[in-house]
PDB file of all heavy atoms in Angstrom:
ATOM      1  N   VAL M  75      90.956  88.874  89.570  1.00 98.00           N
ATOM      2  CA  VAL M  75      90.230  89.418  88.424  1.00 98.00           C
ATOM      3  C   VAL M  75      91.277  89.781  87.388  1.00 98.00           C
ATOM      4  O   VAL M  75      92.217  90.527  87.672  1.00 98.00           O
ATOM      5  CB  VAL M  75      89.401  90.660  88.813  1.00 98.00           C
ATOM      6  CG1 VAL M  75      88.785  91.304  87.579  1.00 98.00           C
ATOM      7  CG2 VAL M  75      88.320  90.285  89.824  1.00 98.00           C
ATOM      8  N   VAL M  76      91.131  89.256  86.184  1.00 98.00           N
ATOM      9  CA  VAL M  76      92.150  89.397  85.156  1.00 98.00           C
ATOM     10  C   VAL M  76      92.141  90.807  84.554  1.00 98.00           C
ATOM     11  O   VAL M  76      91.129  91.505  84.595  1.00 98.00           O
ATOM     12  CB  VAL M  76      91.930  88.304  84.081  1.00 98.00           C
ATOM     13  CG1 VAL M  76      90.749  88.617  83.207  1.00 98.00           C
ATOM     14  CG2 VAL M  76      93.171  88.063  83.253  1.00 98.00           C
ATOM     15  N   GLY M  77      93.282  91.245  83.989  1.00 98.00           N
ATOM     16  CA  GLY M  77      93.321  92.479  83.213  1.00 98.00           C
ATOM     17  C   GLY M  77      94.237  93.567  83.755  1.00 98.00           C
ATOM     18  O   GLY M  77      94.271  93.819  84.965  1.00 98.00           O
ATOM     19  N   TYR M  78      94.976  94.207  82.844  1.00 98.00           N
ATOM     20  CA  TYR M  78      95.896  95.303  83.158  1.00 98.00           C
ATOM     21  C   TYR M  78      95.414  96.632  82.561  1.00 98.00           C
ATOM     22  O   TYR M  78      95.455  97.662  83.220  1.00 98.00           O
ATOM     23  CB  TYR M  78      97.294  95.003  82.591  1.00 98.00           C
ATOM     24  CG  TYR M  78      98.111  94.004  83.384  1.00 98.00           C
ATOM     25  CD1 TYR M  78      97.700  92.680  83.546  1.00 98.00           C
ATOM     26  CD2 TYR M  78      99.319  94.379  83.953  1.00 98.00           C
ATOM     27  CE1 TYR M  78      98.458  91.766  84.252  1.00 98.00           C
ATOM     28  CE2 TYR M  78     100.095  93.472  84.673  1.00 98.00           C
ATOM     29  CZ  TYR M  78      99.655  92.161  84.817  1.00 98.00           C
ATOM     30  OH  TYR M  78     100.408  91.257  85.524  1.00 98.00           O
ATOM     31  N   ASP M  79      95.023  96.606  81.294  1.00 98.00           N
ATOM     32  CA  ASP M  79      94.655  97.836  80.570  1.00 98.00           C
ATOM     33  C   ASP M  79      93.204  98.224  80.823  1.00 98.00           C
ATOM     34  O   ASP M  79      92.315  97.365  80.821  1.00 98.00           O
ATOM     35  CB  ASP M  79      94.825  97.639  79.056  1.00 98.00           C
ATOM     36  CG  ASP M  79      96.283  97.647  78.615  1.00 98.00           C
ATOM     37  OD1 ASP M  79      97.085  98.382  79.218  1.00 98.00           O
ATOM     38  OD2 ASP M  79      96.603  96.932  77.649  1.00 98.00           O
ATOM     39  N   VAL M  80      92.968  99.538  80.979  1.00 98.00           N
ATOM     40  CA  VAL M  80      91.611 100.013  81.228  1.00 98.00           C
ATOM     41  C   VAL M  80      91.381 101.358  80.566  1.00 98.00           C
ATOM     42  O   VAL M  80      92.307 102.158  80.408  1.00 98.00           O
ATOM     43  CB  VAL M  80      91.345 100.133  82.747  1.00 98.00           C
ATOM     44  CG1 VAL M  80      92.184 101.248  83.380  1.00 98.00           C
ATOM     45  CG2 VAL M  80      89.868 100.349  83.049  1.00 98.00           C
ATOM     46  N   ALA M  81      90.126 101.593  80.172  1.00 98.00           N
ATOM     47  CA  ALA M  81      89.642 102.935  79.837  1.00 98.00           C
ATOM     48  C   ALA M  81      88.250 103.047  80.434  1.00 98.00           C
ATOM     49  O   ALA M  81      87.439 102.117  80.321  1.00 98.00           O
ATOM     50  CB  ALA M  81      89.594 103.145  78.324  1.00 98.00           C
ATOM     51  N   GLY M  82      87.993 104.168  81.111  1.00 98.00           N
ATOM     52  CA  GLY M  82      86.698 104.309  81.750  1.00 98.00           C
ATOM     53  C   GLY M  82      86.517 105.676  82.367  1.00 98.00           C
ATOM     54  O   GLY M  82      87.245 106.624  82.047  1.00 98.00           O
ATOM     55  N   VAL M  83      85.549 105.760  83.280  1.00 97.00           N
ATOM     56  CA  VAL M  83      85.156 107.039  83.876  1.00 97.00           C
ATOM     57  C   VAL M  83      85.378 106.993  85.385  1.00 97.00           C
ATOM     58  O   VAL M  83      84.987 106.025  86.052  1.00 97.00           O
ATOM     59  CB  VAL M  83      83.674 107.343  83.575  1.00 97.00           C
ATOM     60  CG1 VAL M  83      83.256 108.674  84.189  1.00 97.00           C
ATOM     61  CG2 VAL M  83      83.420 107.346  82.065  1.00 97.00           C
ATOM     62  N   VAL M  84      86.009 108.029  85.922  1.00 97.00           N
ATOM     63  CA  VAL M  84      86.241 108.120  87.368  1.00 97.00           C
ATOM     64  C   VAL M  84      84.904 108.326  88.089  1.00 97.00           C
ATOM     65  O   VAL M  84      84.154 109.251  87.769  1.00 97.00           O
ATOM     66  CB  VAL M  84      87.193 109.290  87.698  1.00 97.00           C
ATOM     67  CG1 VAL M  84      87.316 109.484  89.216  1.00 97.00           C
ATOM     68  CG2 VAL M  84      88.576 109.037  87.082  1.00 97.00           C
ATOM     69  N   VAL M  85      84.617 107.453  89.051  1.00 96.00           N
ATOM     70  CA  VAL M  85      83.373 107.582  89.820  1.00 96.00           C
ATOM     71  C   VAL M  85      83.618 107.855  91.302  1.00 96.00           C
ATOM     72  O   VAL M  85      82.686 108.153  92.042  1.00 96.00           O
ATOM     73  CB  VAL M  85      82.478 106.325  89.663  1.00 96.00           C
ATOM     74  CG1 VAL M  85      81.991 106.192  88.230  1.00 96.00           C
ATOM     75  CG2 VAL M  85      83.196 105.057  90.107  1.00 96.00           C
ATOM     76  N   LYS M  86      84.874 107.758  91.726  1.00 96.00           N
ATOM     77  CA  LYS M  86      85.200 108.057  93.122  1.00 96.00           C
ATOM     78  C   LYS M  86      86.683 108.380  93.198  1.00 96.00           C
ATOM     79  O   LYS M  86      87.488 107.761  92.491  1.00 96.00           O
ATOM     80  CB  LYS M  86      84.872 106.844  94.008  1.00 96.00           C
ATOM     81  CG  LYS M  86      85.085 107.065  95.494  1.00 96.00           C
ATOM     82  CD  LYS M  86      84.618 105.833  96.272  1.00 96.00           C
ATOM     83  CE  LYS M  86      84.741 106.043  97.774  1.00 96.00           C
ATOM     84  NZ  LYS M  86      84.276 104.862  98.527  1.00 96.00           N
ATOM     85  N   VAL M  87      87.053 109.347  94.033  1.00 97.00           N
ATOM     86  CA  VAL M  87      88.467 109.688  94.191  1.00 97.00           C
ATOM     87  C   VAL M  87      88.863 109.612  95.657  1.00 97.00           C
ATOM     88  O   VAL M  87      88.087 109.962  96.548  1.00 97.00           O
ATOM     89  CB  VAL M  87      88.791 111.101  93.627  1.00 97.00           C
ATOM     90  CG1 VAL M  87      88.473 111.183  92.154  1.00 97.00           C
ATOM     91  CG2 VAL M  87      88.058 112.191  94.384  1.00 97.00           C
ATOM     92  N   GLY M  88      90.098 109.137  95.902  1.00 97.00           N
ATOM     93  CA  GLY M  88      90.622 109.069  97.258  1.00 97.00           C
ATOM     94  C   GLY M  88      90.960 110.456  97.792  1.00 97.00           C
ATOM     95  O   GLY M  88      91.058 111.434  97.038  1.00 97.00           O
ATOM     96  N   SER M  89      91.177 110.531  99.090  1.00 97.00           N
ATOM     97  CA  SER M  89      91.331 111.826  99.765  1.00 97.00           C
ATOM     98  C   SER M  89      92.575 112.600  99.338  1.00 97.00           C
ATOM     99  O   SER M  89      92.622 113.824  99.469  1.00 97.00           O
ATOM    100  CB  SER M  89      91.362 111.599 101.278  1.00 97.00           C
ATOM    101  OG  SER M  89      92.450 110.749 101.628  1.00 97.00           O
ATOM    102  N   GLN M  90      93.581 111.900  98.812  1.00 98.00           N
ATOM    103  CA  GLN M  90      94.821 112.579  98.409  1.00 98.00           C
ATOM    104  C   GLN M  90      94.918 112.802  96.896  1.00 98.00           C
ATOM    105  O   GLN M  90      95.933 113.306  96.406  1.00 98.00           O
ATOM    106  CB  GLN M  90      96.039 111.766  98.870  1.00 98.00           C
ATOM    107  CG  GLN M  90      96.128 111.587 100.378  1.00 98.00           C
ATOM    108  CD  GLN M  90      96.228 112.911 101.110  1.00 98.00           C
ATOM    109  OE1 GLN M  90      97.024 113.769 100.749  1.00 98.00           O
ATOM    110  NE2 GLN M  90      95.403 113.086 102.142  1.00 98.00           N
ATOM    111  N   VAL M  91      93.898 112.415  96.157  1.00 98.00           N
ATOM    112  CA  VAL M  91      93.943 112.529  94.693  1.00 98.00           C
ATOM    113  C   VAL M  91      93.773 113.988  94.272  1.00 98.00           C
ATOM    114  O   VAL M  91      92.842 114.668  94.696  1.00 98.00           O
ATOM    115  CB  VAL M  91      92.847 111.646  94.041  1.00 98.00           C
ATOM    116  CG1 VAL M  91      92.724 111.947  92.545  1.00 98.00           C
ATOM    117  CG2 VAL M  91      93.170 110.178  94.268  1.00 98.00           C
ATOM    118  N   LYS M  92      94.698 114.458  93.428  1.00 97.00           N
ATOM    119  CA  LYS M  92      94.665 115.851  92.977  1.00 97.00           C
ATOM    120  C   LYS M  92      94.489 115.975  91.464  1.00 97.00           C
ATOM    121  O   LYS M  92      94.070 117.013  90.960  1.00 97.00           O
ATOM    122  CB  LYS M  92      95.957 116.558  93.393  1.00 97.00           C
ATOM    123  CG  LYS M  92      96.132 116.675  94.903  1.00 97.00           C
ATOM    124  CD  LYS M  92      97.442 117.344  95.262  1.00 97.00           C
ATOM    125  CE  LYS M  92      97.554 117.574  96.764  1.00 97.00           C
ATOM    126  NZ  LYS M  92      97.573 116.322  97.533  1.00 97.00           N
ATOM    127  N   LYS M  93      94.838 114.922  90.733  1.00 97.00           N
ATOM    128  CA  LYS M  93      94.896 115.021  89.276  1.00 97.00           C
ATOM    129  C   LYS M  93      93.534 114.828  88.608  1.00 97.00           C
ATOM    130  O   LYS M  93      93.294 115.342  87.519  1.00 97.00           O
ATOM    131  CB  LYS M  93      95.893 113.970  88.756  1.00 97.00           C
ATOM    132  CG  LYS M  93      96.362 114.194  87.336  1.00 97.00           C
ATOM    133  CD  LYS M  93      97.646 113.413  87.021  1.00 97.00           C
ATOM    134  CE  LYS M  93      97.415 111.936  86.837  1.00 97.00           C
ATOM    135  NZ  LYS M  93      98.557 111.248  86.205  1.00 97.00           N
ATOM    136  N   PHE M  94      92.637 114.082  89.246  1.00 98.00           N
ATOM    137  CA  PHE M  94      91.365 113.725  88.624  1.00 98.00           C
ATOM    138  C   PHE M  94      90.182 114.096  89.510  1.00 98.00           C
ATOM    139  O   PHE M  94      90.313 114.203  90.723  1.00 98.00           O
ATOM    140  CB  PHE M  94      91.310 112.221  88.324  1.00 98.00           C
ATOM    141  CG  PHE M  94      92.419 111.738  87.434  1.00 98.00           C
ATOM    142  CD1 PHE M  94      93.385 110.872  87.923  1.00 98.00           C
ATOM    143  CD2 PHE M  94      92.512 112.163  86.119  1.00 98.00           C
ATOM    144  CE1 PHE M  94      94.415 110.425  87.116  1.00 98.00           C
ATOM    145  CE2 PHE M  94      93.542 111.731  85.303  1.00 98.00           C
ATOM    146  CZ  PHE M  94      94.496 110.854  85.802  1.00 98.00           C
ATOM    147  N   LYS M  95      89.050 114.207  88.853  1.00 97.00           N
ATOM    148  CA  LYS M  95      87.786 114.437  89.562  1.00 97.00           C
ATOM    149  C   LYS M  95      86.750 113.465  89.030  1.00 97.00           C
ATOM    150  O   LYS M  95      86.926 112.865  87.952  1.00 97.00           O
ATOM    151  CB  LYS M  95      87.320 115.875  89.369  1.00 97.00           C
ATOM    152  CG  LYS M  95      86.992 116.240  87.932  1.00 97.00           C
ATOM    153  CD  LYS M  95      86.624 117.709  87.798  1.00 97.00           C
ATOM    154  CE  LYS M  95      86.191 118.051  86.378  1.00 97.00           C
ATOM    155  NZ  LYS M  95      87.190 117.747  85.342  1.00 97.00           N
TER     156      LYS M  95
END
Side-chain angles (χ1 to χ4, degrees):
V75 173
V76 74
Y78 283 63
D79 285 326
V80 68
V83 180
V84 174
V85 294
K86 184 175 183 179
V87 300
S89 60
Q90 299 300 312
V91 170
K92 295 178 175 64
K93 196 162 75 165
F94 302 113
K95 64 184 184 303

